[in-house]
Amino acid sequence: MSGHDSTPRPMQASRSPGLAGAAKIPGDKSISHRAFLFGGIAAGRTRVTGLLEGEDVLATGRAMRAMGARIVKEDDHWLVDGVGNGCLLEPEAPIDFGNAGTGVRLTMGLVGPYDFGATFVGDASLSRRPMGRVLDPLRLMGVQVAARTGDRLPLSIRGPRVAAPIQYRVPMASAQVKSAVLLAGLNAPGVTTVIEPVMTRDHTEKMLEGFGATISVETDAAGVRTIRLEGQGTLTGVADFVVPGDPSSAAFPIVAACIVPGSDITVMNVLMNPTRTGLIATLLEMGASIEILNPRSSGGEDVADLRVRHAALTGVTVPAERAPSMIDEYPVLAVAAAFADGVTVMQGLEELRVKESDRLAAVAAGLAANGVTHQEGPETLTVTGRPDGRGIGGGTVATHLDHRIAMSFLVLGLAAERPVTIDDAAMIATSFPEFTGLMTALGAKLESLS
């Protein structure tokens, strides 16, 4: 579970013949983080298969190990022996999360109510990202925070002797904030309540229930969800926890097959949780050929295999309320839109301004560098496509250490008239270490330039 090399590795993608074959994508990142977190605080052993072994998830594993959990890899699975709820140990050194925004925010929530001190550090990119949205509810529970201006890393927190359970209305659509408050509630007496006006991905609720927490979810007529968690209960390890395939990673081969003429691929074992399938819904509206095969249930989550064939796409308007179910997929949707007939309008993108990079600005700059007609608004992106790919490509994209920008623009190059270069492919390993091998196995023309 080591760190990574920071030397930039440029890469180029060129127009490719039809993609073909079956792709097995890595495990879902959100569920992989939580497998280490919940396994680490559950009593007994959790056996995890299909875990995403990217840098971000391994950082969460290292954090849980630093606080007493035993985590080892055996063959193709991980064994997590947890400490039991309420029994984490004070970490002896600062916990380094690298670039893992989800990992650091969820772990802050989990650790906040403990009567000990913990210090969190990260890389240059993570140290620029705001943590206040998670720290604000923790402060209400009695947690003390010492941080840089703007609640940024490095920062230290210290929990109270006994944390106060809170009722917290999440001010923005954020699964990370909701999850951090629920995790904090695990070690607070009484009931912690989270009110969520707009539903976001619900893996935390489903997995807490799977590990034995007492949790209830009610949704009113307006769609407002009220989640109640009983604190200081027992969590129990899960004998055989299978992580479904990550829809955010599946997005890249899916869009590539949609836009590269002659393509016919099958993407296996994709998580089909309705809070995560906004991209698939949008592509289907655009006219994509996506067939859902063998739908089934795994670990409380819906999964299926997806057969994707090249098809003519048409521009659509993507409403703001769909953003929470596809927030990570907008960069690659913009790539699909570049090859669609007509105009695609994406609304409600303000959350993209605070991702690994200002992801909205980075997408717009990448489109500009490669001759794609677009308009960037404060929280919108409009792309005018060219179905034949004529005039698209030939540029170099600044990735800003953002893995999704890197992979999205490599996909653009597979259908563009001229090759597309990205300034650095090194950080792709944070979320999708197998990306290059998987795509080239399907027939994608990718070439490392370093």
Side-chain angles (χ1 to χ4, degrees):
M1 297 168 95
S2 60
H4 56 87
D5 172 26
S6 58
T7 314
R9 296 208 299 272
M11 187 174 272
Q12 189 173 76
S14 311
R15 195 164 207 158
S16 301
L19 306 178
K24 186 174 183 304
I25 51 162
D28 180 71
K29 191 175 176 184
S30 300
I31 293 177
S32 294
H33 278 297
R34 289 162 175 80
F36 275 154
L37 289 166
F38 297 154
I41 53 163
R45 170 169 285 185
T46 299
R47 182 178 183 272
V48 185
T49 49
L51 184 97
L52 172 68
E53 295 181 14
E55 277 300 321
D56 287 9
V57 172
L58 296 181
T60 298
R62 286 194 294 270
M64 294 307 291
R65 195 187 270 167
M67 294 184 287
R70 182 175 169 272
I71 300 177
V72 292
K73 187 176 184 192
E74 283 190 4
D75 303 323
D76 65 342
H77 58 268
W78 291 79
L79 298 176
V80 184
D81 291 306
V83 293
N85 186 26
C87 300
L88 289 174
L89 305 176
E90 182 167 28
E92 291 177 1
I95 303 177
D96 186 353
F97 273 90
N99 190 236
T102 300
V104 74
R105 292 192 179 110
L106 297 193
T107 306
M108 280 177 192
L110 181 64
V111 173
Y114 277 81
D115 183 13
F116 61 55
T119 299
F120 299 86
V121 298
D123 68 7
S125 165
L126 189 61
S127 299
R128 286 194 293 269
R129 295 168 70 181
M131 299 294 153
R133 52 172 63 182
V134 167
L135 296 172
D136 289 342
L138 293 179
R139 289 181 172 109
L140 297 175
M141 299 178 86
V143 180
Q144 295 178 314
V145 181
R148 287 170 56 220
T149 308
D151 278 344
R152 291 193 297 267
L153 300 183
L155 63 83
S156 297
I157 61 176
R158 179 162 193 105
R161 210 171 58 72
V162 179
I166 58 171
Q167 176 171 312
Y168 191 70
R169 188 181 180 93
V170 183
M172 75 294 286
S174 170
Q176 289 182 1
V177 176
K178 166 181 67 176
S179 299
V181 177
L182 290 172
L183 289 175
L186 284 173
N187 197 40
V191 176
T192 294
T193 306
V194 178
I195 298 166
E196 186 178 42
V198 178
M199 182 173 180
T200 60
R201 51 182 73 175
D202 59 355
H203 309 306
T204 298
E205 298 95 299
K206 285 188 163 165
M207 288 179 66
L208 279 171
E209 195 173 341
F211 278 83
T214 304
I215 184 167
S216 67
V217 183
E218 290 169 18
T219 306
D220 70 12
V224 176
R225 300 172 82 236
T226 301
I227 307 154
R228 293 183 181 87
L229 174 77
E230 279 186 27
Q232 299 184 331
T234 302
L235 299 187
T236 309
V238 176
D240 192 18
F241 188 88
V242 181
V243 180
D246 186 352
S248 299
S249 297
F252 302 106
I254 287 171
V255 168
C258 286
I259 63 176
V260 174
S263 295
D264 183 351
I265 68 168
T266 303
V267 187
M268 315 298 288
N269 191 41
V270 182
L271 175 68
M272 296 297 283
N273 182 309
T275 65
R276 302 288 299 283
T277 51
L279 175 72
I280 291 169
T282 304
L283 290 171
L284 288 169
E285 285 174 11
M286 295 172 79
S289 170
I290 302 174
E291 224 181 314
I292 297 169
L293 308 174
N294 188 18
R296 54 203 185 270
S297 179
S298 170
E301 296 278 8
D302 295 329
V303 296
D305 305 327
L306 302 177
R307 184 181 182 189
V308 189
R309 284 170 278 192
H310 173 257
L313 302 180
T314 307
V316 295
T317 294
V318 189
E321 55 268 24
R322 197 175 291 165
S325 70
M326 57 180 297
I327 196 66
D328 286 330
E329 283 75 72
Y330 283 106
V332 79
L333 176 63
V335 167
F339 298 95
D341 190 16
V343 178
T344 298
V345 182
M346 296 163 241
Q347 301 170 335
L349 307 187
E350 59 273 14
E351 178 75 6
L352 292 184
R353 299 277 186 200
V354 295
K355 287 289 185 178
E356 279 81 342
S357 58
D358 177 342
R359 208 170 255 171
L360 186 50
V363 171
L367 294 172
N370 288 286
V372 178
T373 306
H374 68 285
Q375 274 182 302
E376 174 193 357
E379 53 198 56
T380 61
L381 183 65
T382 303
V383 177
T384 305
R386 264 172 276 179
D388 59 3
R390 289 286 296 276
I392 296 178
T396 297
V397 177
T399 55
H400 302 284
L401 297 176
D402 189 324
H403 49 122
R404 298 201 195 280
I405 297 297
M407 291 183 279
S408 297
F409 282 99
L410 289 172
V411 170
L412 181 85
L414 302 180
E417 184 177 34
R418 294 189 298 280
V420 173
T421 306
I422 60 165
D423 64 357
D424 189 8
M427 91 302 291
I428 289 174
T430 63
S431 72
F432 197 168
E434 307 87 344
F435 172 79
T436 308
L438 180 149
M439 294 301 294
T440 50
L442 295 173
K445 292 172 94 170
L446 299 176
E447 184 189 358
S448 183
L449 302 180
S450 57

